[in-house]
Amino acid sequence: LVELMHSEHFVVSNVTLRNSPFWTVHPYMCRHVRATNLTILNPNHDAPNTDGFDPDSCQDVVIEDSFFDVGDDGVAIKSGWDCFGYEAA
């Protein structure tokens, strides 16, 4: 539902996200990310990739006071994919 790329100093707070077909919040190559009072409600059956919050190749991420009811991972920290992950390192 939400993908943020190459961003710095942003806050996601006091929001409810529902029924994402895939990863719900996916910051990519971001710095100083804060998620607080975030509620993510996705189908938890027949929805294999409905992760809640997936920081990908990010630095300084804080997730606090949040609730995830999802079909897969609540939080999945990712380090990139193939050459893109190597480049970020």
Side-chain angles (χ1 to χ4, degrees):
L1 286 179
V2 178
E3 182 170 53
L4 303 153
M5 299 175 68
H6 305 281
S7 300
E8 292 189 17
H9 302 283
F10 71 86
V11 176
V12 179
S13 73
N14 301 313
V15 67
T16 297
L17 302 169
R18 297 176 182 268
N19 299 321
S20 174
F22 198 61
W23 302 344
T24 308
V25 179
H26 179 225
Y28 172 72
M29 295 288 290
C30 296
R31 295 178 55 192
H32 309 292
V33 178
R34 177 178 225 90
T36 183
N37 295 319
L38 177 63
T39 300
I40 297 178
L41 305 171
N42 289 334
N44 55 15
H45 63 289
D46 299 324
N49 291 308
T50 57
D51 290 2
F53 197 97
D54 291 4
D56 187 346
S57 305
C58 293
Q59 296 177 8
D60 301 318
V61 177
V62 175
I63 304 166
E64 61 187 358
D65 300 322
S66 296
F67 177 79
F68 305 117
D69 184 8
V70 297
D72 200 9
D73 302 309
V75 176
I77 300 169
K78 301 182 181 305
S79 62
W81 171 66
D82 290 341
C83 63
F84 304 110
Y86 303 137
E87 183 179 307

